[in-house]
């Protein structure tokens, strides 16, 4: 019965497509160019790249400043430093580097609607008459979608992995953890710690970036998103920086931090809330 229903639906959509082509001159899958006209002024991504480069340079300067006293850039090792100096590096990472990375990844990023596209594809020419610009999407959601498509929860919560975490045993049998495995674990950790407290997407992305720097995997984690063809095709407009360049120059800029060692706090957005919860 299901196959029969799908067959009838395909035939009905085919008839609608023929009607749309004959009456309106458009075909299935064509998105009218006027749909993106409101975003024409936002196509220039050079200021976003410049801001990312400036934020990376600032972090590098702070690293060199702190490495005069310590070999590892550590939040805990600066507890006795005055408040402004102690938080200087953390603030630069969370409020400048992460925000610059977020804005560049958000260039041309939108939330697709697969259900609507199936129904409205035959009459795509009429879309601008009834809808506004595509709904924006936060880059953190890309990491969550990657986590979901790769069955991240099942991977992290597998019995073998839980057992290894309980007894601090290696689960990979001496094989190095891959960037994909570490990213799935990191996203799971951020979701587990932040979602119960209803933290924002910005807060969760900041936590992920701090974790990536701590593990020296920022470039490899972002690159996994860039190489995910399904995510790029489904959520990036053709003129976006991601679709046009594959994020190559941005990855090169971020690689300047790859050899630096960090020990940044990951739970700043939820630390006080967790302490309150533990108190009761």
């Amino acid at each position: 019965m299901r196959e029969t229903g799908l067959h009838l639906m395909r035939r009905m959509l085919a008839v609608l497509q023929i009607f749309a082509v004959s009456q309106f001159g458009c075909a299935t899958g064509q998105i009218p160019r006027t749909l993106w006209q409101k975003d024409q002024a936002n196509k220039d991504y050079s200021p976003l790249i410049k801001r990312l480069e400036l934020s990376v340079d600032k972090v590098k300067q702070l690293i060199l400043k702190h490495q005069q006293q310590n070999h590892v850039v550590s939040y805990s090792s600066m507890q006795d430093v005055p408040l402004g100096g102690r938080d200087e590096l953390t603030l630069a990472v969370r409020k400048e580097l992460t925000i610059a990375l977020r804005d560049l990844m958000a260039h041309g990023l939108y939330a697709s609607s697969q259900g609507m596209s199936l129904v409205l594809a035959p009459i795509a020419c009429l879309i601008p008459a009834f809808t506004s610009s595509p709904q924006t999407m936060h880059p953190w959601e890309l990491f969550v979608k990657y986590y979901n498509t790769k069955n991240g929860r099942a991977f992290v919560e597998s019995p073998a992995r839980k057992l290894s975490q309980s007894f601090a045993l290696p689960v990979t049998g001496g094989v190095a953890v891959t960037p994909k495995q570490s990213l799935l674990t990191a996203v799971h950790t951020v979701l587990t710690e932040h979602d119960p407290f209803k933290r924002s997407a910005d807060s969760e992305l900041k936590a992920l970036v701090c974790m990536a720097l701590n593990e020296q995997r920022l470039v490899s984690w972002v690159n996994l998103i860039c190489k995910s063809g399904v995510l790029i095709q489904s959520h990036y407009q053709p003129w976006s920086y991601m679709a046009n360049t594959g994020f190559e120059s941005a990855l090169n800029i971020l690689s300047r931090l790859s050899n630096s060692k960090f020990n940044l706090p990951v739970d700043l957005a939820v630390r006080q809330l967790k302490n309150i919860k533990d108190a009761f």
Side-chain angles (χ1 to χ4, degrees), residues 261-274:
K261 295 182 179 180
F262 292 85
N263 187 18
L264 299 167
V266 177
D267 63 344
L268 275 185
V270 296
R271 181 175 297 174
Q272 292 184 345
L273 296 173
K274 288 196 298 185

Side-chain angles (χ1 to χ4, degrees), residues 21-138:
V21 171
S22 62
Q23 297 296 321
F24 305 108
C26 65
T28 303
Q30 289 182 338
I31 302 297
R33 293 182 179 180
T34 54
L35 186 61
W36 310 119
Q37 285 181 354
K38 296 181 180 179
D39 298 313
Q40 295 293 323
N42 299 325
K43 288 186 178 182
D44 184 16
Y45 47 74
S46 56
L48 301 176
I49 297 177
K50 184 63 177 178
R51 197 185 342 161
L52 178 65
E53 190 169 19
L54 290 174
S55 65
V56 169
D57 289 342
K58 181 174 182 179
V59 172
K60 285 289 292 184
Q61 292 173 2
L62 292 173
I63 291 172
L64 294 175
K65 176 181 176 181
H66 291 301
Q67 281 182 339
Q68 294 176 356
Q69 299 177 349
N70 304 287
H71 291 291
V72 177
V73 182
S74 171
Y75 175 84
S76 59
S77 65
M78 294 184 285
Q79 294 295 327
D80 297 330
V81 182
L83 184 61
R86 183 189 70 192
D87 285 343
E88 194 175 14
L89 179 64
T90 303
L91 289 176
V93 170
R94 293 177 65 88
K95 294 192 174 183
E96 296 186 41
L97 175 61
T98 304
I99 299 304
L101 178 61
R102 176 203 67 186
D103 291 346
L104 189 55
M105 291 187 70
H107 184 263
L109 179 64
Y110 69 97
S112 63
S113 178
Q114 296 180 352
M116 290 296 290
S117 63
L118 175 64
V119 177
L120 297 180
I123 53 173
C125 293
L126 301 180
I127 293 179
F130 301 104
T131 61
S132 58
S133 297
Q135 184 179 359
T136 58
M137 178 177 172
H138 197 286

